[in-house]
Amino acid sequence: MKIASIVGARPNFIKLAPVDKELQRQGLDHIIIHTGQHYNYEMDRVFFDDMGIPSPDYHLGIGSGSHGFQTGEMLKKVEEALIAEKPEAAIVYGDTNSTLAGGLAAAKLHIKCAHIEAGLRSYDKDMPEEINRVLVDHCSDLLLCPTQTAADNLKKEGITENVYLVGDVMVDAQRDCQRIAAEKSQILKSLKLEDRDYFLATVHRASNTDDKNNLAAIAMALEALGDVVFPCHPRTEKYLKDFGLWKHLTERINVIKPVGYLDMLLLEKNAQKIITDSGGVQKEAYLLGVPCITLRDETEWVETVDDGWNVLVGPNREDIINAVRCFEPDHECQDVFGKGDASARIVELVAKLAER
Ligand code: UD1
Ligand code: UDP
């Protein structure tokens, strides 16, 4: 029985790691098809190294481009790889353009497809990821939901069959890597950081980066807060430079290259607060019990907000500063993303799907 995973971007790799490990543990034949959506060492290879993911069997080398171009090129080449390999099932992860291309290529070839992180919705159709989520959910054969909210969202769209609440694979990823991160990562020492004496920021959502006013408001808020460590996504670096904000910001706060997963876990765990527009980072902040200020008007990870550990704030300088200074959760986090057994449950269901 052969299973093919299709990945291409940073959050795909992180979700792939525990699933690949479990597929190997259960002795299933697993091939990895990498679209090449992300390609800088620190956006790509570092995750394979940090998390012990085998090198991809196929590297399609698509790279960057407009949404239509990038997704179209991926669709063509993923299809070729799937035709050559003839897997019994495919797995796609999250909501990137690589996820959409993989899901669509599999569906068109009648290869059964499992979607990990099914049912997530922001209900904002201007967000490219929202289009990807909806389309992939509607063409997948197995919908693997991280939360009850996600399963409920699918139900609202009429999807009730082959839906399973399995928990979140990012809990598994964190569990697998936390000890290794504590042993191996030198990031706190190399940046001379003390426990809880800094804010950690990540920004890369198109709505925040591609609009000059929004990005300037965020940059000015980070600058005013000071004591910020900011692993900067290449998209954000490009726009900060294009909008003339880069030099100013790098003189005032600690802007660094994106970091690997092990370094990121330590930066998150020891931060006083996390400021982010990332889906995965919101969740990790919650799992680590670090207050999170999310630079968006809505989130798919509503449980983190409902539980009082995440606060949403749009791209407004004063609002961001106030939220970061004032937000203090007053109780323990709940256990809403599962217990770290999602990958085992997923592999069991994918194996059954492949036999169907
Ligand atoms: C993509 C995903 C987003 C995810 C993010 C994770 C889509 C629609 N978006 O957004 O859901 O949260 O990845 O990080 O799939 N670039 C480089 N080197 C790289 C990668 C990107 O320089 O290795 C630059 C290029 O200028 C590129 C830009 O970043 O045009 C955007 O990259 P792209 O993969 O298109 O989207 P992301 O913003 O990374
Ligand atoms: N991440 C990382 N290094 C960084 C920034 C993020 O390892 O410099 C990890 C983060 O810990 C999380 C994942 O990337 O596991 C989230 O991916 P990203 O923010 O790129 O995308 P999103 O989750 O928003 O789709």
Side-chain angles (χ1 to χ4, degrees):
M1 182 189 299
K2 189 188 281 181
I3 316 282
S5 279
I6 298 132
V7 292
R10 175 168 71 186
N12 300 149
F13 310 139
I14 291 160
K15 290 160 200 161
L16 164 69
V19 176
D20 169 71
K21 199 174 279 178
E22 186 61 27
L23 285 161
Q24 287 192 40
R25 204 183 64 77
Q26 297 200 19
L28 296 170
D29 185 8
H30 182 214
I31 61 157
I32 298 174
I33 301 173
H34 185 326
T35 64
Q37 177 173 351
H38 285 177
Y39 43 86
N40 292 358
Y41 175 78
E42 61 275 8
M43 296 295 293
D44 171 18
R45 190 71 227 174
V46 69
F47 298 98
F48 290 76
D49 294 345
D50 272 8
M51 304 180 88
I53 308 169
S55 289
D57 299 272
Y58 286 77
H59 200 299
L60 308 180
I62 309 293
S64 305
S66 67
H67 286 280
F69 172 83
Q70 191 182 50
T71 313
E73 290 297 304
M74 289 176 190
L75 182 59
K76 283 196 282 189
K77 292 200 176 174
V78 172
E79 181 180 67
E80 285 168 14
L82 291 176
I83 288 172
E85 290 293 331
K86 299 183 183 52
E88 274 76 33
I91 310 180
V92 294
Y93 303 77
D95 56 15
T96 67
N97 286 347
S98 300
T99 316
L100 175 60
L104 210 46
K108 295 273 185 184
L109 292 169
H110 305 153
I111 295 170
K112 294 183 197 84
C113 184
H115 182 204
I116 293 181
E117 225 174 65
L120 271 285
R121 296 290 182 268
S122 65
Y123 296 105
D124 173 9
K125 278 202 173 169
D126 288 339
M127 189 182 185
E129 294 81 1
E130 183 74 357
I131 307 293
N132 295 343
R133 294 176 191 128
V134 173
L135 295 177
V136 173
D137 283 341
H138 282 260
C139 72
S140 292
D141 304 281
L142 180 60
L143 297 123
L144 301 160
C145 298
T147 60
Q148 184 59 50
T149 311
D152 294 344
N153 291 340
L154 291 175
K155 197 170 176 187
K156 283 185 217 155
E157 292 170 24
I159 305 178
T160 52
E161 285 183 19
N162 303 312
V163 175
Y164 293 87
L165 175 57
V166 290
D168 199 308
V169 285
M170 288 181 67
V171 179
D172 305 25
Q174 210 180 65
R175 175 208 58 201
D176 292 346
C177 292
Q178 227 156 8
R179 189 182 46 79
I180 309 170
E183 279 167 20
K184 284 198 182 165
S185 170
Q186 297 298 314
I187 190 84
L188 299 178
K189 206 189 286 177
S190 67
L191 296 178
K192 299 190 176 59
L193 298 171
E194 297 288 336
D195 194 21
R196 312 271 167 220
D197 73 346
Y198 63 93
F199 301 119
L200 175 67
T202 80
V203 179
H204 72 276
R205 288 264 93 80
S207 57
N208 283 331
T209 58
D210 302 16
D211 179 296
K212 186 176 180 180
N213 291 334
N214 291 353
L215 191 57
I218 293 169
M220 285 190 296
L222 297 180
E223 178 207 328
L225 287 162
D227 299 326
V228 175
V229 177
F230 182 16
C232 188
H233 190 290
R235 171 188 207 108
T236 316
E237 178 174 342
K238 175 184 174 305
Y239 281 102
L240 283 168
K241 286 180 177 164
D242 287 357
F243 297 149
L245 298 162
W246 176 255
K247 197 164 178 292
H248 187 70
L249 193 65
T250 50
E251 277 167 6
R252 282 164 176 80
I253 66 165
N254 204 351
V255 184
I256 58 175
K257 287 263 172 225
V259 295
Y261 186 64
L262 301 180
D263 287 345
M264 188 64 179
L265 281 184
L266 276 203
L267 284 175
E268 288 173 332
K269 188 164 186 274
N270 292 284
Q272 189 184 116
K273 289 178 185 166
I274 292 177
I275 307 161
T276 191
D277 59 11
S278 155
V281 175
Q282 286 174 63
K283 215 166 23 181
E284 285 167 347
Y286 184 82
L287 294 172
L288 293 165
V290 179
C292 185
I293 292 83
T294 292
L295 304 173
R296 287 177 53 191
D297 293 320
E298 78 298 302
T299 180
E300 311 73 63
W301 302 104
V302 289
E303 295 79 4
T304 59
V305 175
D306 293 346
D307 197 27
W309 276 83
N310 187 7
V311 67
L312 303 176
V313 50
N316 174 292
R317 179 184 179 275
E318 298 310 317
D319 291 351
I320 297 169
I321 295 169
N322 286 339
V324 174
R325 293 210 172 120
C326 302
F327 183 52
E328 291 295 346
D330 57 7
H331 58 278
E332 300 272 296
C333 300
Q334 307 287 306
D335 177 13
V336 292
F337 295 112
K339 300 200 181 314
D341 59 356
S343 36
R345 298 169 76 182
I346 285 170
V347 169
E348 202 179 300
L349 289 162
V350 171
K352 281 191 193 141
L353 177 75
E355 279 165 7
R356 270 198 338 223

